[in-house]
Amino acid sequence: MAVTARPRQAIAIIGALGLALTATACGSDDDNSGNNAGSAECSAYEKYQGNDGKKVSIYASIRDAEADLLEQSWEQFVDCTGIEIDYEGSGEFEAQLQVRVDGGNAPDIAFIPQPGLLARFAEAGKLKPASADTKTMAEQNYSPDWLKYSTVGGQFYGAPLGSNVKSFVWYSPKTFKEKGWEVPTTWEQLVALSDKVAADGTKPWCVGIESGDATGWPATDWIEEFMLRTQTPEVYDQWTTHGIPFNDPKVAEAVNLAGTILKNEKYVNGGFGGVKSIATTSFQEAGTPILQNKCAMHRQGSFYANQWPEGTKVAEDGDIFAFYFPTREGSQGKPVLGGGEFTVAFADRPEVQAVQTYLASGEYANSRAKLGNWASANNKLDVANVANPIDRLSVEIFQDKTTVFRFDGSDLMPGAVGAGTFWKQMIEWINGKDTTAVLNSIESSWPK
Amino acid sequence: MNFDFADESPKLVMLLYGLVAFVVVVGGLLLLLDAVPAWFARRREAQLVAASASGAPIPRSRTKPREGLFAVFFLLPAVLLLLIGLVVPAIRTTVLSFMDGGSDNWVGLRNYGWLFSQDEIVRVLTNTLVWVFLVPLIATTIGLLYAVLVDKARMEALAKSLIFMPMAISFVGASIIWKFVYAYRGDGQEQIGLLNQIVVSLGGEPKQWLLESPLNTLLLIVIMVWIQAGFAMVVLSAAIKAIPADIVEAARLDGVNPWQMFWQVTLPSIRPALIVVVVTISIATLKVFDIVRTSTNGNFDTNVIANEMYNQAFRYGQAGQGSAMAVFLFILVIPIVIYQIRNLRQQREG
């Protein structure tokens, strides 16, 4: 196989190409050192300075447009401190993080959205405890409810970052007004509204739990909502930590109540088919029939705001908005189910700790919120900086004193259950398997 | 969509780097494969010229060790890569399969006991068996029939490239295409799936194809067959073309009909190629992962070993159980590999 008749010439050309490549690669890197360090707008970053030219790598599941916003949000910090942040987002974050850590290639910082996974790394001794500065910053800015999710064995590992509210029901304010439907504030009103919509000839609910290799997770959210509405928050905590068995009658009660909506052929599944179509409808698509009046309601977190087609006005008086998923009579407080990610570190170099502390600060929360599409439970976050009405509603709920916040239960459970059998058995449940069999099966898979 | 080059320039520069690096690495490799043998050849030539000029006998004996060196030069990277990529991980996986989920404590054979006690795992194993039985059989049969029928036909090249093309699509890509074929919308809605559209236009009710076991496993097998039949066809077609013309001629003179020609001439002549195809597809099928992961992620009773292995090891943090499945899969592949090696050796001797 003769690639070229004159190998020596070709070697020279390729060698020159290679040299040029390395030369340009070296040339482009040294731009953003901390030469702005002395300026006025950098005064807020004084305590993070002294790490000029150091590099910190961050790994998370946030990609594309959201990742661009993320990198924009710490631009000023990078300018003022000279710490270089090397961000990488991955769609297979949960599995790949394990691979990278096992392979000795752990990132300096990871944003872990599952406390269960966080605890696994902490218990394996892979995570570094947060520095005293980070801890103080986190305690000032977040409620103890939030900090306990990143505390393992009494050791605090890192502050929360972004947060979302899951207890939302999306609806069309326009359609509700036209048809004379009213936003329900209690469970009884919600059921009455569902019956009324069904009687009008529309399926009241749209549901979809297909999500690629994570299929099933939206259904676990439903069960968690009902655990919070049928039981006390303490029972919810026992459930997520296996203090009560998964097949406890209290869990069965919640699952069966969820079934009165999810497994009701009269209520679901607007725009897609029967109950079983829930299993094959992607959660991204699931809510969109609301815009065509094929269904009235879709229960999904604040992040669903991004799923509406371009040009849809998301506002209280617009095409689409969300109301708080109502509580039942006699429920305790105002339970809110939610999620979020935590900034944890696999290295304890000073620059890594500086970044970790900065991300827990109010300055960071406001700087990120101003860029849009983001909410946080950081109590230094000024609602005025949150542009999107749904994010504003989320922040208001987080800052409301009557809110009883609980983290997404499946994210708290061990991976084998929370990202495994719980998801899978919910799919079976939607497809007709009965509640007892489903719960027994999940219980038997809980790692011993 | 507005696309701003200035905004995207860092990514474009990265892309450029990637392309240049690709050219450098691949070009370098090709060059190496080209220049090094050429260099050896030139040296040998110079030696021969020098030897013949001086009238001395050609140093024949010295070529042997050179050739050995040459072989080592080419074998070394392959052996090294095999060691790093296959042998070491295989040993490590086997070790891990005797440890717990976090790879901290020894648990003996517990993971293997678990493997065969789970209802769901039994399901996984039977599904894998169905795959391994059906895919090589159907894919090879289709490939063979096609190769025979299209042989010496008009537009042979076009017909062959049509069936070979799916080979060029990745498993994930193919699965996504077929997922659309199987897509479902409720009765009365506009169907976006080809299969349901056909059913509806024939007056039937749309079905959720990927939901109904065991039909769904068969539908996933269709994807694999779609990809592999092209491979079978290409190899078998080449084998058919390699049958010596005089044998075919002799059979014709003896007055065989096409049926007899196929069973008594074509099939025995291409037997070695047939075995290679079946074995290769069997191994590929045992390892099937992408199709199941992309289409159903093993839900609705379609799970197979490779998918569950990945879930256990990387998603659920049960490295021990995942490793046990990997070892089991490895053991299942071994007999096929041994058969293949024996077969090759027999061919060489015979």
Side-chain angles (χ1 to χ4, degrees):
Chain A
M1 175 172 47
V3 172
T4 154
R6 296 181 173 218
R8 235 170 286 170
Q9 243 175 25
I11 289 182
I13 292 169
I14 287 175
L17 267 178
L19 265 181
L21 179 73
T22 43
T24 43
C26 291
S28 67
D29 261 355
D30 285 1
D31 298 341
N32 39 4
S33 55
N35 32 9
N36 301 328
S39 68
E41 56 187 15
C42 284
S43 58
Y45 303 98
E46 248 162 44
K47 58 185 165 201
Y48 309 116
Q49 279 164 3
N51 298 299
D52 208 344
K54 302 277 174 53
K55 269 190 189 180
V56 175
S57 65
I58 299 183
Y59 190 52
S61 55
I62 302 159
R63 287 176 299 160
D64 302 331
E66 301 266 315
D68 290 343
L69 295 180
L70 203 57
E71 294 196 67
Q72 238 175 300
S73 69
W74 54 58
E75 226 161 51
Q76 205 181 10
F77 172 82
V78 168
D79 273 356
C80 292
T81 60
I83 299 177
E84 240 178 79
I85 297 182
D86 186 8
Y87 177 77
E88 189 191 342
S90 163
E92 280 274 287
F93 170 75
E94 286 83 2
Q96 286 307 312
L97 183 61
Q98 178 84 51
V99 173
R100 286 187 57 168
V101 171
D102 284 350
N105 182 28
D108 295 329
I109 290 178
F111 301 159
I112 300 185
Q114 291 108 352
L117 186 66
L118 189 155
R120 204 162 93 203
F121 284 118
E123 279 156 11
K126 309 279 189 196
L127 290 184
K128 302 281 187 239
S131 67
D133 282 351
T134 311
K135 196 173 177 201
T136 318
M137 181 69 89
E139 279 166 352
Q140 281 168 8
N141 294 348
Y142 290 90
S143 72
D145 259 358
W146 274 93
L147 299 185
K148 73 173 188 234
Y149 299 118
S150 51
T151 305
V152 182
Q155 191 65 257
F156 178 69
Y157 287 95
L161 192 70
S163 329
N164 54 63
V165 172
K166 296 203 171 193
S167 302
F168 277 138
V169 177
W170 292 88
Y171 72 109
S172 164
K174 227 199 266 165
T175 314
F176 267 50
K177 209 171 163 194
E178 275 167 24
K179 306 251 181 181
W181 298 334
E182 282 198 19
V183 170
T185 52
T186 66
W187 167 249
E188 290 72 20
Q189 287 175 10
L190 186 72
V191 174
L193 175 65
S194 302
D195 285 333
K196 194 174 171 200
V197 175
D200 285 356
T202 311
K203 292 278 180 74
W205 292 91
C206 286
V207 193
I209 63 169
E210 198 271 348
S211 177
D213 56 11
T215 298
W217 72 260
T220 66
D221 284 5
W222 277 85
I223 306 303
E224 288 148 12
E225 295 280 16
F226 282 98
M227 279 302 285
L228 286 173
R229 282 163 183 74
T230 57
Q231 312 296 333
T232 61
E234 289 70 37
V235 172
Y236 182 88
D237 295 339
Q238 289 167 4
W239 175 58
T240 57
T241 53
H242 213 217
I244 56 171
F246 209 108
N247 51 2
D248 192 276
K250 290 174 185 157
V251 185
E253 187 192 337
V255 174
N256 285 330
L257 193 63
T260 59
I261 290 181
L262 294 178
K263 289 184 149 196
N264 188 338
E265 290 284 359
K266 280 201 215 92
Y267 280 8
V268 291
N269 186 16
F272 297 101
V275 168
K276 283 188 175 183
S277 70
I278 291 175
T280 51
T281 303
S282 77
F283 88 94
Q284 291 99 328
E285 270 186 281
T288 49
I290 292 181
L291 293 172
Q292 294 121 38
N293 291 332
K294 284 180 179 160
C295 60
M297 292 175 281
H298 179 61
R299 194 222 68 90
Q300 195 52 270
S302 49
F303 46 81
Y304 200 77
N306 303 325
Q307 298 296 341
W308 302 102
E310 227 171 289
T312 310
K313 191 180 172 201
V314 180
E316 205 155 352
D317 54 353
D319 308 313
I320 285 293
F321 202 57
F323 59 80
Y324 167 74
F325 193 74
T327 47
R328 294 164 81 223
E329 241 168 75
S331 294
Q332 298 192 343
K334 186 178 173 188
V336 166
L337 183 73
E341 62 271 347
F342 296 85
T343 316
V344 293
F346 291 91
D348 52 6
R349 305 193 307 276
E351 65 271 21
V352 176
Q353 293 178 339
V355 172
Q356 218 185 351
T357 310
Y358 167 65
L359 292 177
S361 69
E363 286 88 36
Y364 176 75
N366 284 299
S367 129
R368 174 65 189 84
K370 276 178 200 162
L371 299 171
N373 273 339
W374 195 72
S376 170
N378 191 317
N379 57 35
K380 294 274 172 22
L381 177 57
D382 184 353
V383 180
N385 283 332
V386 185
N388 181 325
I390 274 295
D391 290 336
R392 205 176 307 138
L393 187 55
S394 307
V395 172
E396 279 163 8
I397 290 177
F398 283 132
Q399 294 181 352
D400 181 349
K401 293 275 181 269
T402 62
T403 295
V404 179
F405 180 81
R406 280 298 177 273
F407 207 91
D408 184 308
S410 58
D411 289 341
L412 298 171
M413 296 173 186
V417 177
T421 50
F422 195 4
W423 291 355
K424 300 230 174 233
Q425 290 301 317
M426 286 327 291
I427 301 167
E428 305 254 340
W429 181 70
I430 291 288
N431 284 339
K433 194 166 165 181
D434 74 278
T435 305
T436 322
V438 162
L439 297 184
N440 287 343
S441 179
I442 301 174
E443 170 60 21
S444 72
S445 74
W446 198 287
K448 276 143 200 114
Chain B
M1 286 299 273
N2 46 350
F3 187 82
D4 189 355
F5 272 97
D7 273 0
E8 304 292 330
S9 66
K11 289 175 189 170
L12 292 173
V13 169
M14 277 314 288
L15 183 70
L16 188 71
Y17 280 164
L19 282 174
V20 172
F22 178 80
V23 169
V24 168
V25 171
V26 174
L29 267 176
L30 287 177
L31 204 66
L32 197 70
L33 291 178
D34 186 59
V36 173
W39 182 76
F40 274 98
R42 264 202 309 279
R43 263 189 65 146
R44 175 86 184 132
E45 204 180 323
Q47 272 173 4
L48 288 175
V49 170
S52 63
S54 66
I58 295 164
R60 180 168 283 274
S61 61
R62 286 191 56 201
T63 60
K64 270 272 152 70
R66 275 281 154 70
E67 266 168 21
L69 208 73
F70 203 51
V72 168
F73 174 80
F74 277 107
L75 270 178
L76 201 66
V79 170
L80 265 179
L81 289 177
L82 267 182
L83 266 177
I84 300 169
L86 197 74
V87 178
V88 174
I91 295 170
R92 195 176 115 91
T93 305
T94 315
V95 172
L96 286 182
S97 73
F98 298 109
M99 299 175 92
D100 65 1
S103 309
D104 300 317
N105 308 301
W106 296 98
V107 295
L109 286 169
R110 198 183 74 189
N111 292 325
Y112 292 92
W114 166 85
L115 187 58
F116 293 100
S117 64
Q118 298 267 311
D119 275 354
E120 230 188 288
I121 301 300
V122 174
R123 178 92 228 174
V124 168
L125 294 180
T126 41
N127 278 341
T128 306
L129 273 180
V130 172
W131 275 83
V132 176
F133 179 71
L134 287 181
V135 174
L137 190 76
I138 302 174
T140 315
T141 311
I142 293 179
L144 179 61
L145 278 180
Y146 205 83
V148 171
L149 292 179
V150 95
D151 192 43
K152 300 201 184 81
R154 279 176 61 202
M155 314 265 273
E156 184 183 344
L158 179 75
K160 274 164 127 181
S161 50
L162 274 183
I163 196 170
F164 186 66
M165 254 188 286
M167 273 290 284
I169 303 174
S170 73
F171 279 24
V172 174
S175 309
I176 292 173
I177 294 172
W178 280 87
K179 230 176 137 176
F180 280 114
V181 173
Y182 299 145
Y184 164 85
R185 283 288 180 276
D187 208 3
Q189 314 278 342
E190 192 185 345
Q191 295 297 327
I192 62 166
L194 178 67
L195 200 54
N196 271 323
Q197 182 57 50
I198 294 172
V199 169
V200 169
S201 55
L202 292 177
E205 260 185 38
K207 282 176 87 165
Q208 288 185 271
W209 301 104
L210 291 178
L211 215 65
E212 285 165 45
S213 174
L215 178 71
N216 48 12
T217 295
L218 298 179
L219 291 173
L220 296 192
I221 285 177
V222 168
I223 306 176
M224 185 81 162
V225 169
W226 185 64
I227 298 173
Q228 297 287 358
F231 164 73
M233 184 271 298
V234 167
V235 176
L236 296 177
S237 174
I240 289 173
K241 297 219 179 295
I243 300 174
D246 38 358
I247 295 183
V248 180
E249 195 71 14
R252 285 246 171 79
L253 288 177
D254 286 343
V256 296
N257 60 31
W259 192 246
Q260 285 168 323
M261 177 74 112
F262 177 73
W263 286 108
Q264 286 165 15
V265 179
T266 310
L267 211 52
S269 309
I270 62 166
R271 207 184 87 99
L274 207 57
I275 291 172
V276 169
V277 167
V278 171
V279 168
T280 313
I281 297 183
S282 301
I283 295 177
T285 310
L286 265 175
K287 297 186 297 188
V288 65
F289 167 75
D290 333 40
I291 293 179
V292 174
R293 185 157 198 84
T294 313
S295 307
T296 62
N297 188 30
N299 290 316
F300 325 125
D301 289 338
T302 55
N303 218 354
V304 290
I305 296 181
N307 188 49
E308 188 58 21
M309 175 180 94
Y310 179 87
N311 278 343
Q312 291 289 344
F314 298 119
R315 298 182 68 95
Y316 308 164
Q318 300 292 331
Q321 291 171 0
S323 303
M325 299 198 88
V327 171
F328 183 68
L329 184 61
F330 189 59
I331 292 171
L332 284 182
V333 178
I334 286 176
I336 305 181
V337 174
I338 291 177
Y339 175 76
Q340 164 84 316
I341 292 171
R342 270 196 44 181
N343 202 50
L344 275 176
R345 200 172 284 160
Q346 270 172 2
Q347 268 176 44
R348 203 171 295 164
E349 281 161 8

